[in-house]
Amino acid sequence: MKKQIYRQLRVYRYVFYRETLVDPREHFWSFVGAFVGIFIIAFIQSLHLPTLENVFLIGSFGASSVLVYGAIQSPLAQPRNLVGGHVVSALVGVTVARILPDIIWLTAPLAVASSIVFMQMTRTLHPPGGATALIAVTGGTKVASLGYLYVLSPIFTGTLILLLTALIFNNITAKRHYPVKYSRLRRSRRRHLKAKRMGRKH
């Protein structure tokens, strides 16, 4: 039993190392993808949304960029998680802001905690979604005045821009493939479970 545990730990350690190992040439495409994605959102804001100040360019998009351009193998960076995680979290955040009184120590933790649960339930877990929910209740009068429009813009439109940019720049070279159905960690886990089942049969 001990040997199996140590062996599995070595496998996970190796897989985590490989999962975070990035070819230096890929740094260029990660930079370009993130730059272009955020540039497009910021440029659209500068042209059409001057009265909303920085509402369209929210902080959680920066966190999403780390995943969808720098960790494209991660299950949390896939399109379903990117778009679904932000939209679900935005819906939760706006709902909390509308239903509850403006008491920050109540609305802020409830929005974040609820968004995590709803993302888990919908299989759209995306860490920056927590920030999206938090912004919905702490964004001030400008965000509050948007109401559920906050879900459509900036959230839905912004994530679509990030996704379309990722689909282009994450598939330019032969080594980059996005979306990825299964990560290396999942493949390793499936092989381990399959070997375990085969061992039981024999």
Side-chain angles (χ1 to χ4, degrees), residues 103-150:
I103 305 173
I104 194 67
W105 52 262
L106 176 62
T107 56
L110 185 60
V112 174
S114 299
S115 70
I116 293 171
V117 173
F118 277 95
M119 283 191 287
Q120 289 173 330
M121 290 170 61
T122 55
R123 294 187 294 120
T124 58
L125 194 63
H126 187 65
T132 295
L134 189 61
I135 291 167
V137 297
T138 63
T141 55
K142 288 186 175 66
V143 173
S145 66
L146 291 175
Y148 283 102
L149 283 176
Y150 171 75

Side-chain angles (χ1 to χ4, degrees), residues 33-96:
F35 182 90
V36 172
I38 297 298
F39 168 81
I40 293 172
I41 295 174
F43 184 69
I44 291 173
Q45 174 183 292
S46 69
L47 289 179
H48 303 292
L49 302 169
T51 58
L52 295 180
E53 294 180 0
N54 66 339
V55 170
F56 194 66
L57 192 64
I58 61 172
S60 54
F61 287 164
S64 289
S65 296
V66 175
L67 286 170
V68 298
Y69 304 117
I72 63 177
Q73 296 281 340
S74 171
L76 304 179
Q78 303 313 301
R80 177 192 179 98
N81 301 76
L82 169 64
V83 179
H86 276 294
V87 169
V88 167
S89 298
L91 283 167
V92 169
V94 173
T95 301
V96 168

